Amino acid sequence: MLNIKRFVSFGYMIFLVMWDVEFFAVAAEGDEGRNAAAAPTYFSVNIGAVLNHNSSMGAMVDLCISMAIWDFYAVHSDYRTRLVLHRKDAQDELDVASTVYDLMKNEEVHSILGPQKFTEDNFIVELGGKAHVPVISFNAISQSLSYPQSPYYIRTTPDDSNQAKALTALCRGFEWHEAVILFEDSDFGTRFISELYNAFQKYDTRVAYMVGISTSSADHYIKKELKRLNTMQTRVFMVHMNAVLGSRLFLLAKNAGMMSEGYAWLATDGLGNFMNSIDSDAVDSMEGVLGLRPYVPASENLDNFRIRWKKNMLLMKPESTMTELNVYGLWAYDTVWALAMAAERVGPVNPAFLVVNDGNNVDEFPNLRISQLGRKLLDELHNITFEGLTGEFRLIDGQLKPSSLEIFNVYATGDRPIGYWSPDGGITRNLSLLGRKLKYSTSTKELKSIVWPGDSVKQPKGWSIPSTGKLKVGVPKKDGFTEFVNVSKDPRTNQTNVTGFSIDIFLSALQQLPFTVDYEFIPFINASGLSCGTYNELLHNISGKAFDMVVGDMTILSDRAKYVDFTLPYSESGTVMVVKNKKEKDMWVFIKPFRWDLWLTIFSTCIFIGIVLRILENRAKNNSDSIRPQKQQLGLLFWFPIAVLAFPERNMVVNNWSRFVLVVWLFMAFILMQSYTANLSAMFTVYQLDFRLSDDSSIGCQTDTFVRDFLISRLNISKSRIKEYSTIEEYHIAMTKGTKNGGIDAIFDEIPYMKLFLDRYDSDYRIVGPTYRTDGFGFALPLGSPLVVHFSRAILAVTESANMTGIEQKNFGLKYSSDYQIDSINHASPSLTAYNFGGLFIIIGSALIFALLCSETSVGRRLTAIVISSSHKCFLFLSFRSNNVSRIHSMVDPDPSRHSSSEEEIQGSDRHNIDDLSRTGITHESRQSHLNTSAIDGQATENVESNSIHEVQLSEQRNVDVSPGQTSS
């Protein structure tokens, strides 16, 4: 064994001697070289490398840089420039800053590789900018310094934001809506968290919890955090740590039972790049983990380099624990090649440094020289493109072009690729298929089969009921409206029973879930059995972890949604005002559709139409039915138009112009009747809808709800006018009293409560005013809870099913209907009663009684006779005022020849001769009038009856021809 060690050490010494001799021959510019004609001349370009040579990472990168210089100039032996490497060891951040300054000042380097633990300190970046020396990092993947602000800072690694986008795509593909992040509490971890958080926000994925663990954290601290995470519903965990800390985490997670079925773990490249160097116990604890790492395409050059690297590592770094090459070494290798190409493109320069007398530089960085070559190297680096060991090397805005990521799955003995992610195509099984994709994909069906934690092939749903046991469901304690939630205690068993409409919806939704949930109801009550507070206080207990969810008549509000998530609503939405039905007590309401001027106009029009008809019909001399007996002529003026409407079948007019007048009258009467009907109906409608709330009216609302604050803040109602009640009965009693008696004039509450109130007191109240929008009742869960989606889908299934009616009738009664319409007339307006038309019936009854008195009593008959006689005299005066005296005598003593001429005219026109009968009738009426004026009471009655008999005789003789000399008896 001793001989083997001596042989390895001897070989290593020989290799170093040969290495130094080669580079000495390449870089030296001695006198012998200058004098020899065949000896080539090389121009040296000094570069620095800041590494931690005591770490396995530093040893690996150091060897890769050395091999890169060797390989590059072995291929490009004709180049005139040579990179001369100056290695510096730095253990911590302070050493890094001083080492970088020393390289620029004393070694006069034109570029710096590293440092290995680069923290992107502003001092180092500023130092590189002042000296015009590019600082090139091959392991910084978080972008905290922008390229325009720090042009001399270059990262030959892809941006870490791509890894955050890939993790988001996996969450979307597996339908995980939230995740817990465990990260290394350092710049390496915190900068990545900001990238991941931004990516999650863009695609609506929530960070449920974040745990920062430092490299110096003890195991008991990590166990404590894991125990806390295990009590949460989220079962998706993302780990962003270095290999050493990550290995400890997974070993402890396995011991805590968190690497079993139902859990999902995702690891970033902080672990993924070192999977080949993690010990077997840690790999075994990571079984089922999905990870990401930069994709390195397979090539013959890469395979050859890996073989040579292992041989050189055994010879040059036998004490190193790094046994496998990772992507950081490959990036360092490609970086050296790019820098060598840039130096050759710049070509030889004269002095390496120029001293600049800049006052600022002298004060801040004394004796610091500015590189004449640095700016040219920087420009050439951005123009270089070649195919390196990691793929295409090309810088874009000071960093390596984004590349694809490899998705791997850890199993018992190692890991295997299951797919890829690219910035353009998303998730894919094979990168060769990316060209065929038309859009970005997040489908995880593209991946190969996955082994999940617990050796399970079933995809975790991303959440679970906490390991503490049942789902803790908080319910409110209500004094009124217990139809929704009723918390009661059985005095015999001392058990708490929870019932109601909201509870039945919750139980029905549980049956619709695709999984089984154990639950327990926990009333929000104190030791005395009373409510512990308002609904807002109850909801705050969700975020305080006292409850896993709250079930009840919880209104979905924007203010509440800031600290809890709600399911879809399961009830009607909106807030309304309820007032008493306005009962109009007016017995003369039937005359109100028309104003007094319209009634007077209608009455005057009827008289005018009667006068016009009298004049027109008086000129129709040969129509015996067109003119009534003379004592009825005055009455004809008033009731003739109305009689036409009441008795349209009678032939009351014969003149065509009279018929035209009646048509106009009928048209006017039709419009008036329709307008009267419509206006009367509208008046009763206005009685129902009209409501004016005075400034002194009190308004009632439900106790411990948001409505009180809503009335104050949004409707600007004074606090002194608001009164709170708990039950339907209290509402009714307060409304019955009214504001003047210590009650209220209106109720302001949500629609589901008011539906119950109106169902009980249907005819006494109605809804008025607008409906103020709310989102109805829903179940409350913690922010980002995955149960929200499942319960929302279950609630939709319940509310759309036929069982919803049964649930409503079970809790609200058989007459309850889910169909809700704000229709005050159909729902709340009373039917019209006889009282509304009392005035009309009084007038009609009075007219009937008056007619009976005038017809059946002696006093009435005497009064009637006097009125008729007086009216007849006035009518005779008006009728015969325009006629000559001879016509009056002829009517009293008819001339035979006159009758003959009249008969001839009638026969010529094929009409019945009733003109003489009319004249005879008039003569009789005149005589009867004379008798009536001088007769006693008994005789007046007989004359009236005789007159009626004579009128009937005239009617019977309507179609009989009368001789000229004949007179009526």
Side-chain angles (χ1 to χ4, degrees):
M1 186 67 180
L2 183 60
N3 294 332
I4 295 177
K5 290 184 177 180
R6 289 180 178 177
F7 176 76
V8 172
S9 300
F10 180 74
Y12 174 64
M13 292 176 63
I14 293 177
F15 181 81
L16 289 179
V17 171
M18 293 178 63
W19 184 279
D20 293 337
V21 170
E22 174 67 20
F23 275 94
F24 178 79
V26 172
E29 296 178 340
D31 294 336
E32 294 181 1
R34 285 193 296 267
N35 295 330
T41 302
Y42 301 109
F43 294 92
S44 300
V45 179
N46 296 326
I47 62 172
V50 182
L51 303 170
N52 182 4
H53 294 94
N54 295 329
S55 66
S56 57
M57 177 76 168
M60 178 197 67
V61 173
D62 185 35
L63 180 57
C64 289
I65 293 175
S66 299
M67 293 180 67
I69 296 176
W70 179 281
D71 292 346
F72 182 81
Y73 290 113
V75 176
H76 306 91
S77 59
D78 57 335
Y79 277 19
R80 297 172 298 166
T81 58
R82 292 292 186 270
L83 297 181
V84 178
L85 182 65
H86 298 270
R87 297 177 177 86
K88 291 291 184 179
D89 183 49
Q91 303 294 329
D92 52 32
E93 295 181 6
L94 183 60
D95 290 342
V96 169
S98 60
T99 300
V100 170
Y101 181 76
D102 181 66
L103 285 172
M104 293 181 182
K105 177 183 176 182
N106 300 322
E107 302 297 339
E108 299 180 352
V109 296
H110 298 274
S111 180
I112 293 178
L113 298 176
Q116 179 182 330
K117 292 185 177 180
F118 191 75
T119 59
E120 297 184 2
D121 191 348
N122 291 332
F123 174 77
I124 299 175
V125 174
E126 185 179 0
L127 196 62
K130 290 291 184 180
H132 293 184
V133 175
V135 179
I136 305 174
S137 174
F138 49 81
N139 61 350
I141 56 179
S142 297
Q143 183 179 5
S144 62
L145 298 175
S146 62
Y147 172 72
Q149 295 176 351
S150 307
Y152 283 91
Y153 169 57
I154 297 176
R155 293 185 298 116
T156 57
T157 57
D159 190 0
D160 218 7
S161 61
N162 288 331
Q163 190 171 199
K165 295 176 183 178
L167 290 173
T168 305
L170 289 174
C171 289
R172 294 177 63 191
F174 291 119
E175 297 184 355
W176 297 332
H177 300 283
E178 65 176 7
V180 174
I181 301 176
L182 298 96
F183 63 97
E184 180 181 330
D185 191 8
S186 63
D187 290 339
F188 167 73
T190 55
R191 287 171 182 167
F192 174 74
I193 294 303
S194 62
E195 297 283 356
L196 184 61
Y197 189 79
N198 293 335
F200 275 11
Q201 277 191 326
K202 185 176 181 181
Y203 294 103
D204 197 22
T205 304
R206 178 177 173 269
V207 177
Y209 194 69
M210 292 190 297
V211 181
I213 303 175
S214 65
T215 55
S216 60
S217 297
D219 288 350
H220 67 85
Y221 172 78
I222 300 177
K223 290 179 181 178
K224 180 181 177 181
E225 293 295 335
L226 291 175
K227 184 177 180 181
R228 178 186 300 177
L229 297 178
N230 204 24
T231 61
M232 299 181 180
Q233 293 181 357
T234 307
R235 289 294 181 264
V236 179
F237 303 97
M238 295 186 180
V239 181
H240 182 66
M241 300 177 179
N242 62 56
V244 177
L245 183 59
S247 300
R248 290 175 54 201
L249 174 69
F250 280 106
L251 286 171
L252 295 174
K254 184 176 182 180
N255 294 333
M258 298 177 66
M259 298 301 298
S260 57
E261 184 177 358
Y263 291 84
W265 291 84
L266 299 176
T268 63
D269 59 359
L271 276 168
N273 291 333
F274 296 92
M275 285 300 299
N276 51 16
S277 60
I278 298 177
D279 60 73
S280 59
D281 291 337
V283 173
D284 181 66
S285 66
M286 294 176 61
E287 183 178 13
V289 174
L290 293 184
L292 295 174
R293 59 192 172 202
Y295 168 66
V296 179
S299 65
E300 185 177 354
N301 290 336
L302 179 60
D303 294 338
N304 293 333
F305 179 77
R306 289 183 186 276
I307 296 173
R308 290 189 297 115
W309 181 87
K310 287 184 178 181
K311 292 180 180 179
N312 293 334
M313 180 60 74
L314 291 174
L315 293 174
M316 299 178 64
K317 309 284 186 180
E319 71 283 358
S320 176
T321 58
M322 180 69 72
T323 59
E324 295 291 340
L325 180 67
N326 61 33
V327 71
Y328 293 109
L330 301 180
W331 281 331
Y333 184 93
D334 290 344
T335 301
V336 172
W337 273 60
L339 192 59
M341 291 180 184
E344 181 64 22
R345 290 186 181 184
V346 172
V349 293
N350 287 323
F353 281 86
L354 295 176
V355 179
V356 179
N357 295 324
D358 190 332
N360 293 332
N361 288 345
V362 172
D363 293 339
E364 297 178 13
F365 310 106
N367 301 324
L368 182 66
R369 300 181 180 185
I370 297 178
S371 171
Q372 188 183 28
L373 186 61
R375 182 63 189 180
K376 297 179 179 179
L377 286 175
L378 184 66
D379 294 338
E380 292 299 334
L381 280 173
H382 285 88
N383 296 325
I384 288 177
T385 301
F386 68 97
E387 196 69 23
L389 295 180
T390 57
E392 183 183 7
F393 183 96
R394 186 173 66 176
L395 297 179
I396 299 177
D397 294 334
Q399 67 183 19
L400 191 65
K401 175 186 175 182
S403 60
S404 301
L405 297 175
E406 182 181 81
I407 306 172
F408 64 91
N409 183 212
V410 182
Y411 56 95
T413 58
D415 61 83
R416 64 185 181 92
I418 59 173
Y420 303 92
W421 177 90
S422 67
D424 298 327
I427 298 175
T428 182
R429 180 188 292 256
N430 194 332
L431 287 175
S432 61
L433 301 177
L434 286 177
R436 305 178 186 176
K437 286 192 174 183
L438 300 178
K439 61 180 181 179
Y440 186 86
S441 173
T442 59
S443 174
T444 54
K445 295 180 180 178
E446 300 277 346
L447 301 176
K448 299 177 182 178
S449 60
I450 302 173
V451 177
W452 297 100
D455 198 22
S456 173
V457 294
K458 182 180 179 181
Q459 174 192 324
K461 56 180 176 288
W463 63 272
S464 178
I465 302 302
S467 60
T468 54
K470 299 179 180 179
L471 189 70
K472 294 179 292 185
V473 181
V475 292
K477 178 70 168 64
K478 296 177 65 70
D479 296 329
F481 294 98
T482 55
E483 292 86 353
F484 291 93
V485 178
N486 185 22
V487 178
S488 60
K489 186 173 255 187
D490 191 340
R492 294 179 300 175
T493 61
N494 202 28
Q495 291 183 347
T496 301
N497 298 322
V498 182
T499 58
F501 174 72
S502 300
I503 304 301
D504 289 342
I505 294 292
F506 171 73
L507 297 177
S508 299
L510 289 179
Q511 299 177 2
Q512 301 293 331
L513 296 178
F515 46 84
T516 303
V517 175
D518 294 331
Y519 65 92
E520 61 174 338
F521 290 120
I522 303 177
F524 190 55
I525 57 178
N526 53 27
S528 302
L530 302 178
S531 175
C532 285
T534 63
Y535 278 21
N536 288 339
E537 294 172 344
L538 172 58
L539 293 176
H540 277 295
N541 278 270
I542 295 179
S543 56
K545 308 304 180 183
F547 304 117
D548 296 320
M549 69 179 300
V550 169
V551 171
D553 47 349
M554 295 288 173
T555 304
I556 303 173
L557 300 174
S558 60
D559 291 341
R560 294 174 176 175
K562 295 177 181 178
Y563 51 90
V564 293
D565 276 347
F566 288 97
T567 63
L568 291 178
Y570 60 86
S571 68
E572 300 93 338
S573 61
T575 306
V576 294
M577 186 191 302
V578 173
V579 299
K580 294 180 182 178
N581 275 329
K582 184 177 179 182
K583 298 179 180 179
E584 185 66 24
K585 297 182 179 180
D586 188 1
M587 60 188 302
W588 300 100
V589 68
F590 71 95
I591 66 173
K592 289 186 177 180
F594 293 162
R595 208 171 67 173
W596 65 268
D597 56 344
L598 181 57
W599 284 115
L600 181 61
T601 303
I602 293 173
F603 182 74
S604 302
T605 303
C606 289
I607 295 177
F608 179 73
I609 290 176
I611 294 174
V612 171
L613 290 175
R614 172 68 184 85
I615 295 174
L616 292 175
E617 290 300 308
N618 186 50
R619 298 179 63 183
K621 303 175 182 179
N622 298 326
N623 192 344
S624 61
D625 195 36
S626 64
I627 301 298
R628 292 292 179 181
Q630 291 185 8
K631 68 177 183 177
Q632 298 181 4
Q633 298 299 315
L634 182 61
L636 185 66
L637 298 178
F638 298 97
W639 68 270
F640 187 80
I642 308 302
V644 172
L645 296 176
F647 310 103
E649 71 280 359
R650 297 187 59 185
N651 185 18
M652 305 188 70
V653 296
V654 295
N655 193 315
N656 290 333
W657 288 105
S658 298
R659 294 188 181 96
F660 173 78
V661 171
L662 289 180
V663 169
V664 174
W665 158 247
L666 290 175
F667 179 74
M668 183 191 72
F670 177 78
I671 294 176
L672 288 174
M673 286 188 294
Q674 295 297 324
S675 301
Y676 178 88
T677 303
N679 201 23
L680 184 62
S681 176
M683 290 176 63
F684 281 106
T685 302
V686 170
Y687 290 154
Q688 298 300 322
L689 298 179
D690 186 27
F691 179 78
R692 294 177 178 86
L693 193 65
S694 65
D695 295 337
D696 298 331
S697 298
S698 297
I699 298 177
C701 65
Q702 197 173 163
T703 306
D704 294 335
T705 61
F706 76 97
V707 178
R708 177 183 174 85
D709 295 334
F710 180 84
L711 292 173
I712 296 172
S713 61
R714 184 169 176 179
L715 301 184
N716 299 320
I717 296 177
S718 174
K719 296 180 181 179
S720 59
R721 296 174 54 193
I722 301 174
K723 298 182 179 180
E724 298 184 20
Y725 302 94
S726 299
T727 65
I728 294 178
E729 292 75 13
E730 291 178 358
Y731 271 151
H732 178 62
I733 295 173
M735 290 286 284
T736 304
K737 291 180 179 179
T739 301
K740 296 181 179 179
N741 297 320
I744 56 177
D745 290 334
I747 303 172
F748 203 91
D749 213 333
E750 294 178 84
I751 289 175
Y753 301 129
M754 291 298 94
K755 286 178 64 177
L756 292 178
F757 181 75
L758 294 177
D759 282 342
R760 184 172 299 184
Y761 307 103
D762 184 35
S763 61
D764 296 333
Y765 303 96
R766 70 184 187 278
I767 294 175
V768 297
T771 299
Y772 298 92
R773 295 291 301 175
T774 60
D775 283 340
F777 297 157
F779 302 151
L781 294 103
L783 281 174
S785 173
L787 287 175
V788 174
V789 177
H790 294 282
F791 268 108
S792 295
R793 293 172 180 171
I795 287 173
L796 283 178
V798 173
T799 54
E800 293 176 358
S801 67
N803 296 332
M804 188 65 180
T805 303
I807 295 175
E808 291 176 336
Q809 293 180 352
K810 171 189 173 183
N811 295 280
F812 304 142
L814 296 178
K815 69 175 184 178
Y816 184 88
S817 174
S818 59
D819 297 331
Y820 175 75
Q821 294 178 349
I822 301 179
D823 191 343
S824 299
I825 298 175
N826 295 335
H827 182 70
S829 61
S831 301
L832 297 178
T833 62
Y835 184 85
N836 296 111
F837 295 93
L840 178 62
F841 294 145
I842 290 175
I843 292 177
I844 294 175
S846 299
L848 293 175
I849 293 174
F850 179 78
L852 289 175
L853 291 176
C854 293
S855 175
E856 302 299 329
T857 63
S858 58
V859 177
R861 285 194 293 269
R862 286 197 298 270
L863 291 175
T864 302
I866 294 173
V867 172
I868 292 175
S869 176
S870 300
S871 300
H872 182 62
K873 289 180 180 180
C874 293
F875 175 74
L876 289 178
F877 175 78
L878 293 173
S879 300
F880 293 99
R881 184 176 179 180
S882 60
N883 294 341
N884 52 32
V885 178
S886 60
R887 179 172 177 78
I888 297 176
H889 287 293
S890 65
M891 291 179 66
V892 175
D893 187 12
D895 188 1
S897 63
R898 183 79 175 178
H899 287 287
S900 177
S901 62
S902 299
E903 183 178 1
E904 291 176 359
E905 291 176 2
I906 295 173
Q907 289 176 354
S909 59
D910 294 330
R911 296 184 59 170
H912 296 290
N913 187 4
I914 59 174
D915 191 43
D916 290 342
L917 293 176
S918 300
R919 292 194 184 96
T920 305
I922 294 175
T923 303
H924 271 277
E925 288 178 1
S926 177
R927 292 175 180 176
Q928 289 290 341
S929 301
H930 179 72
L931 292 176
N932 288 338
T933 57
S934 60
I936 60 176
D937 295 343
Q939 292 174 342
T941 303
E942 293 176 357
N943 289 336
V944 172
E945 293 176 353
S946 175
N947 186 30
S948 300
I949 295 172
H950 184 69
E951 181 180 356
V952 172
Q953 291 175 353
L954 288 175
S955 176
E956 293 176 352
Q957 295 175 1
R958 181 176 300 172
N959 297 323
V960 179
D961 292 333
V962 182
S963 63
Q966 187 178 359
T967 60
S968 60
S969 58

